[in-house]
Amino acid sequence: MNKIFLVIQREYVTRVLKKSFWISSLLAPVLLTAIYAIPIWLAMKDKEHKKVAILDLSHLWKPVDLQDKELIFTFISKSEMQFKKEFSKDGYDAFVSIPANVLSNPKGVHIYSSKNIGLSLKESVERLIQNKVRQELMYQAGISKNVYEDTQVDIESDTITISDSGDETNSSSVGAMILAGVMGLILYVTLLLYGSQVMNGVIEEKSSRIIEVIISSVKPYQLMLGKIIGVGLVGLTQFVLWIVLTIGLTQVTSKVYASKASSMVGLSQDAQIKANADMAIAMQDSPMGEVTKVLESTNIPLVMFAFLFYFFVGYLLYSSLFAAIGSAVESATEAQQFTFIVMIPIILSFLLAQYTMQDPDSTIAFWSSMIPFTSPINMMVRLPYGVPIWELVASMVFLLIGFFVCSWISARIYRVGILMYGKKATWKELSKWLFYKG
Amino acid sequence: MLLSIRNLEKRYAEHVALQNISLEIPKGCIFGLLGPNGAGKTSLIRIITQITGPDAGEIYFDGERLRLEHADQIGYLPEERGLYKKMKVGEQLLYLAQLKGMRKDEALAKLKDWFIRLDIKDWWNKPVDDLSKGMQQKTQFIATVVHEPKLLILDEPFSGFDPINANMLKDEILAIKERGTTILFSTHRMESVEELCDEIALINHARVVLSGNKAEVQARFKKNQFMIRFEGNLMQMPGIEVISQQPSHAVLRLSEGIGTNEAIALLIQQVRLLEFKELIPSFNEIFIQVVSETN
């Protein structure tokens, strides 16, 4: 037992001390944070405040009419001819002059700017002026203030898609889909990645010929198990780093955004609240926002536990097969003829996961989340949509059984394979090894 | 006896690797395991190191039935050897020593001694990849002996060593023997058998075809031949056959019933005898003779 621990320790430490481990551990959270932060940043970036001077000869506008998230209006009382030469020197980005007869002559509004005026600034100014002009014209036409205000209705819709079979998908299951897809993809990549790391480790020991020395000290199954567990722990460490760093980085990012939002200069309290709300909307519109929505309605500890369980046991199952392949060959190129047979179920699970995602309660989805080879990815894809607890437990038990069977088969191939040199391994040969004695 | 091997059998799917092998390896000796390629030496060694199990027969290690725990008391240097290429020499040796059941501090102290003794102190932090082949061999030798095993199994230990390092290795092997370690030494190089071994066993076609004490085995293969150096004229003599003759040397074979004293008495009547020496067969000759007889 102590010797397994030594093997685990070596496998773990040599890998964790590699530069490539830290690069991939740091890079992924940075990328994920960027996916989260860039849309928000873009949404906030537009809200750089522009100072606009306004000369209102009609005296229709009050400061309250000129609330805008991007523009800060200042009333001035200088002549248009004079001020259009000075406004940029006074620090204004634009200068709007409204004629006294704006209601009858809406085209008399002029917008001056030093640089080419941005489209959004032009639209914002026009919208503000237009709203007021319409409002005034309606009052003049006899529509009461109350009626007018009642007509200002905000529509907030829930997007619901209806499939051909009549199933409804609302926006929160879009989030579930993203969460499911992300977890499925991570499992798919890591099963292949760490599985082939185990295989390469076995090939390295065999081709460098250190294997014979090692197995004169430890039993082959101890070495195999130690290697698999060691590499698996590297994987878990990486997940934990990813999760912690991603949460940390996104927290820091949103703190930065929040402080930025509250320090916006010259905004009234209302405007600040509005700015915060804008940021919240921006966050919700980003993909992470969707996931956040789902996370709020899912059992996070359960999902986390299931994810780690399916990763670790699924990984144990596949990597024991990868180890068996590694033991039977002498080089990575020679391994290719065998690896496809292990990769097929992984790739198949990923393809099945596309169906599962669209229809998590279908028969295909059910069975692919039960059969040990496809269940790690497919059960994780189903989980965010809600799965009866007995199905989850059954799937986990089947996976454990699958792992024991696979590792038994693998260990029998492994103990023979690691000492076979110069003999080209074939499927027939491998199946014979299964029945060799001691 | 440190190792008693009794009626060992090992069969692989298509061939018999070991057939009814019985050997006794006394404590503190160097035991030469000889045999042509494919005779079954490696199969036997792998069973002793418990890498594989026998189909039948048993092995007693220091009086006890061979068990997994005995692995820590055996040091094994395989013929095909290697190390983790990316690992540093020091940490690699530390790992291998710990796998043999040593505590870390104990292993560290012993390894330091070895590094000083072999004058390789500055290798500790070098990756194995940066070492020459000879340096890797030294490293590997340390890995084999650092846990001070009761039984040391060396499979072709001299292959890949230059003469200087081979000499150093020979001295180390003899020093280890002095400390009471039993050494099982598998080789093709008969000159090192003659030099180092106390006991031998020759395996051919999965069977032990010759075994025993080195001197005893050589005595068994003596052909009653003698080399003489002389001055004068060598004539035919009754009971002495001249096998080859040069002006001052000759090889003679004595017939049954003629002892060395009689032969010398006959010879000195004819020539001035300068040297009279029994020809002891070399292990090379014995090896070739026995292997071709049993093929």
Side-chain angles (χ1 to χ4, degrees):
Chain A
M1 264 305 130
N2 190 25
K3 289 184 177 178
I4 289 196
F5 178 72
L6 282 167
V7 177
I8 294 173
Q9 193 185 27
R10 192 200 83 86
E11 297 293 338
Y12 182 81
V13 171
T14 53
R15 282 184 170 77
V16 165
L17 290 181
K18 272 189 196 158
K19 268 193 217 105
S20 55
F21 173 82
W22 288 99
I23 292 172
S24 60
S25 296
L26 295 177
L27 215 56
V30 169
L31 284 175
L32 275 173
T33 310
I35 292 173
Y36 161 82
I38 287 173
I40 303 175
W41 178 68
L42 286 176
M44 286 180 60
K45 190 176 169 266
D46 288 340
K47 295 171 194 73
E48 272 173 28
H49 297 92
K50 295 224 163 78
K51 289 173 79 183
V52 181
I54 183 161
L55 171 65
D56 176 21
L57 298 175
S58 67
H59 301 292
L60 285 171
W61 278 268
K62 299 180 193 71
V64 73
D65 298 324
L66 294 170
Q67 292 283 4
D68 189 275
K69 53 190 174 189
E70 294 166 36
L71 307 176
I72 299 166
F73 289 91
T74 313
F75 288 92
I76 55 141
S77 50
K78 294 177 179 166
S79 87
E80 186 179 344
M81 292 306 284
Q82 185 201 345
F83 196 67
K84 73 180 179 188
K85 289 171 192 142
E86 295 173 355
F87 74 93
S88 72
K89 262 182 278 167
D90 289 358
Y92 293 103
D93 295 295
F95 166 43
V96 182
S97 99
I98 300 169
N101 60 347
V102 65
L103 292 184
S104 57
N105 176 23
K107 294 229 162 75
V109 176
H110 292 138
I111 304 175
Y112 301 94
S113 77
S114 50
K115 290 162 277 178
N116 198 1
I117 188 167
L119 193 64
S120 69
L121 186 137
K122 182 172 183 268
E123 276 174 358
S124 303
V125 171
E126 280 176 352
R127 194 180 62 245
L128 287 169
I129 294 171
Q130 188 175 300
N131 283 350
K132 188 70 185 174
V133 170
R134 276 190 190 154
Q135 188 187 343
E136 286 304 320
L137 288 172
M138 283 183 186
Y139 292 166
Q140 281 180 9
I143 291 165
S144 80
K145 205 175 170 180
N146 288 344
V147 173
Y148 174 77
E149 272 164 16
D150 285 349
T151 61
Q152 303 301 302
V153 189
D154 257 347
I155 307 269
E156 264 184 38
S157 66
D158 244 348
T159 40
I160 297 163
T161 33
I162 298 176
S163 70
D164 290 344
S165 56
D167 293 333
E168 293 183 9
T169 319
N170 62 28
S171 61
S172 84
S173 60
V174 171
M177 209 154 160
I178 293 172
L179 184 64
V182 167
M183 289 194 297
L185 187 67
I186 291 176
L187 279 176
Y188 170 71
V189 172
T190 48
L191 285 180
L192 283 176
L193 191 73
Y194 291 109
S196 50
Q197 275 205 26
V198 168
M199 185 179 78
N200 290 330
V202 174
I203 293 175
E204 186 206 342
E205 276 169 352
K206 190 180 170 184
S207 64
S208 75
R209 305 270 181 166
I210 194 169
I211 190 78
E212 205 167 338
V213 173
I214 305 277
I215 58 169
S216 71
S217 307
V218 301
K219 290 268 102 187
Y221 78 85
Q222 290 179 313
L223 179 62
M224 184 178 110
L225 209 60
K227 182 177 285 294
I228 289 173
I229 293 174
V231 175
L233 289 177
V234 174
L236 282 182
T237 309
Q238 189 145 56
F239 279 144
V240 170
L241 280 174
W242 280 348
I243 291 169
V244 169
L245 286 174
T246 308
I247 290 175
L249 277 175
T250 48
Q251 289 287 330
V252 168
T253 330
S254 48
K255 284 261 162 58
V256 169
Y257 282 147
S259 68
K260 226 178 169 180
S262 61
S263 67
M264 284 171 179
V265 277
L267 277 185
S268 67
Q269 211 180 8
D270 283 352
Q272 268 188 30
I273 290 164
K274 198 165 178 302
N276 282 336
D278 284 339
M279 194 181 78
I281 289 166
M283 278 166 87
Q284 273 181 13
D285 288 343
S286 82
M288 289 299 265
E290 284 286 352
V291 177
T292 317
K293 254 195 273 177
V294 184
L295 286 181
E296 278 159 12
S297 62
T298 36
N299 185 346
I300 295 172
L302 178 74
V303 171
M304 290 280 253
F305 165 74
F307 183 77
L308 293 181
F309 177 89
Y310 281 105
F311 164 69
F312 205 67
V313 184
Y315 156 80
L316 288 177
L317 182 149
Y318 275 109
S319 60
S320 71
L321 296 175
F322 274 115
I325 291 171
S327 75
V329 300
E330 280 170 63
S331 68
T333 37
E334 206 191 322
Q336 275 164 4
Q337 55 160 330
F338 297 106
T339 42
F340 81 92
I341 204 89
V342 181
M343 283 164 76
I344 282 173
I346 303 183
I347 295 167
L348 185 70
S349 339
F350 193 62
L351 295 179
L352 283 170
Q354 317 300 316
Y355 289 101
T356 307
M357 233 167 7
Q358 277 161 26
D359 198 353
D361 294 320
S362 65
T363 321
I364 292 181
F366 174 79
W367 285 108
S368 58
S369 66
M370 284 295 153
I371 296 166
F373 286 96
T374 55
S375 67
I377 291 178
N378 283 282
M379 187 50 99
M380 278 326 290
V381 167
R382 281 184 72 198
L383 210 55
Y385 298 92
V387 170
I389 201 77
W390 74 264
E391 287 186 17
L392 187 62
V393 171
S395 156
M396 285 178 167
V397 170
F398 289 152
L399 185 61
L400 281 172
I401 293 170
F403 159 63
F404 287 124
V405 171
C406 282
S407 63
W408 182 83
I409 290 173
S410 297
R412 295 192 69 84
I413 292 178
Y414 179 85
R415 90 214 138 104
V416 180
I418 45 175
L419 292 172
M420 286 282 178
Y421 289 99
K423 201 183 211 177
K424 217 163 164 70
T426 58
W427 287 111
K428 203 177 139 202
E429 196 71 29
L430 292 194
S431 57
K432 264 196 231 158
W433 295 354
L434 272 184
F435 304 104
Y436 274 7
K437 273 190 288 173
Chain B
M1 290 297 145
L2 184 82
L3 205 63
S4 292
I5 296 166
R6 297 180 196 161
N7 311 317
L8 218 58
E9 304 269 343
K10 180 75 182 175
R11 219 170 300 272
Y12 289 109
E14 58 273 21
H15 80 287
V16 178
L18 297 173
Q19 204 172 0
N20 198 24
I21 301 272
S22 294
L23 288 174
E24 298 288 320
I25 300 178
K27 244 178 229 175
C29 78
I30 299 186
F31 191 98
L33 188 62
L34 321 178
N37 293 323
K41 286 174 299 183
T42 305
S43 295
L44 178 59
I45 289 175
R46 282 184 180 166
I47 291 172
I48 298 171
T49 52
Q50 302 181 79
I51 289 172
T52 51
D55 295 338
E58 58 246 23
I59 297 180
Y60 289 87
F61 184 90
D62 210 4
E64 296 172 50
R65 187 85 186 243
L66 187 67
R67 292 191 313 270
L68 268 186
E69 294 79 77
H70 290 132
D72 291 352
Q73 295 167 32
I74 298 176
Y76 175 36
L77 182 71
E79 182 178 4
E80 294 281 359
R81 53 199 81 138
L83 296 160
Y84 288 110
K85 293 200 172 68
K86 296 273 150 53
M87 260 178 121
K88 287 175 184 157
V89 176
E91 55 187 65
Q92 175 142 220
L93 286 173
L94 207 53
Y95 172 62
L96 293 173
Q98 283 178 280
L99 280 188
K100 280 294 183 190
M102 288 182 100
R103 285 200 327 273
K104 195 172 182 179
D105 51 339
E106 185 189 0
L108 205 58
K110 286 270 189 277
L111 283 173
K112 280 196 176 139
D113 288 349
W114 274 102
F115 272 61
I116 293 168
R117 185 135 106 233
L118 299 187
D119 197 23
I120 53 170
K121 271 170 285 182
D122 47 338
W123 291 8
W124 189 273
N125 276 321
K126 273 193 191 176
V128 170
D129 245 357
D130 291 358
L131 300 185
S132 70
K133 198 174 173 218
M135 291 156 102
Q136 291 191 24
Q137 302 266 36
K138 270 193 194 178
T139 308
Q140 196 124 32
F141 182 72
I142 297 175
T144 315
V145 298
V146 65
H147 59 293
E148 295 177 354
K150 283 186 185 166
L151 174 65
L152 185 60
I153 300 175
L154 306 172
D155 199 349
E156 293 295 353
F158 295 107
S159 73
F161 274 94
D162 62 42
I164 294 167
N165 279 321
N167 236 344
M168 180 222 74
L169 180 63
K170 198 180 75 192
D171 294 342
E172 288 300 335
I173 291 174
L174 288 172
I176 287 166
K177 182 198 165 189
E178 284 310 303
R179 273 176 256 144
T181 305
T182 309
I183 298 168
L184 182 63
F185 177 34
S186 158
T187 187
H188 290 122
R189 290 171 36 153
M190 293 304 139
E191 71 276 12
S192 49
V193 173
E194 251 147 290
E195 218 171 339
L196 293 171
C197 294
D198 307 310
E199 304 264 329
I200 64 127
L202 177 61
I203 295 183
N204 193 24
H205 290 303
R207 292 166 176 278
V208 177
V209 290
L210 178 69
S211 71
N213 180 279
K214 184 172 74 177
E216 213 179 274
V217 168
Q218 277 179 316
R220 245 186 275 164
F221 283 82
K222 276 195 296 202
K223 289 175 188 148
N224 224 12
Q225 290 185 359
F226 297 84
M227 191 277 290
I228 57 168
R229 201 154 61 83
F230 61 92
E231 282 170 5
N233 254 341
L234 192 63
M235 307 287 190
Q236 284 292 337
M237 281 162 283
I240 300 178
E241 182 192 344
V242 179
I243 292 173
S244 68
Q245 189 176 1
Q246 279 155 332
S248 62
H249 286 84
V251 175
L252 313 173
R253 182 188 292 133
L254 306 188
S255 308
E256 296 268 331
I258 295 197
T260 45
N261 282 357
E262 286 101 325
I264 291 170
L266 283 170
L267 283 165
I268 54 175
Q269 292 168 13
Q270 291 189 10
V271 296
R272 199 163 94 86
L273 195 59
L274 300 172
E275 199 179 332
F276 184 93
K277 192 175 119 194
E278 184 168 22
L279 285 182
I280 294 170
S282 72
F283 269 92
N284 212 21
E285 290 164 330
I286 296 173
F287 183 94
I288 292 168
Q289 188 191 330
V290 174
V291 168
S292 47
E293 275 169 12
T294 52
N295 266 349

